[in-house]
């Protein structure tokens, strides 16, 4: 079993938000705040879900987070 620590936890959270936004684009809905809302608020991004995903992926790449 792998244990995540420190920055790995924060990086994993960002990847989880990215995957959640991808699912929202495909039509999945959830209760509470959407990943779209969380990403827009935390990173100050604007645009449609697809535009925000593109901008967010660029941010992740700039941080050196590997996107699969």
């Amino acid at each position: 079993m792998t244990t995540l620590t420190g920055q790995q936890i924060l990086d994993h959270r960002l990847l989880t938000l990215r995957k959640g936004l991808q699912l929202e684009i495909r039509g999945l809905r959830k209760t509470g705040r959407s990943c779209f809302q969380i990403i827009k608020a935390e990173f100050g991004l604007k645009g449609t879900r697809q535009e925000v995903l593109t901008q967010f992926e660029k941010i992740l790449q700039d941080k050196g987070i590997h996107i699969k």
Side-chain angles (χ1 to χ4, degrees), residues 34-68:
S34 68
C35 294
F36 178 61
Q37 290 174 325
I38 294 169
I39 292 169
K40 280 182 26 174
E42 288 187 20
F43 294 93
L45 303 177
K46 296 183 186 291
T48 64
R49 282 180 168 79
Q50 186 61 52
E51 291 169 346
V52 167
L53 177 61
T54 302
Q55 295 170 38
F56 187 55
E57 287 177 339
K58 175 77 168 104
I59 290 170
L60 293 177
Q61 289 173 349
D62 291 345
K63 288 182 177 249
I65 299 173
H66 179 64
I67 298 174
K68 295 179 183 179

Side-chain angles (χ1 to χ4, degrees), residues 1 9 17 39 59:
M1 181 162 79
I9 295 170
L17 284 171
I39 292 169
I59 290 170

Side-chain angles (χ1 to χ4, degrees), residues 19-30 49:
K19 185 57 76 174
L21 180 53
Q22 288 176 330
L23 291 171
E24 289 174 9
I25 289 171
R26 291 187 176 144
L28 184 73
R29 297 290 179 234
K30 65 180 224 70
R49 282 180 168 79

Side-chain angles (χ1 to χ4, degrees), residues 2-15:
T2 303
T3 302
L4 299 177
T5 60
Q7 187 61 39
Q8 292 172 329
I9 295 170
L10 300 174
D11 292 348
H12 189 271
R13 177 179 176 271
L14 296 177
L15 290 172

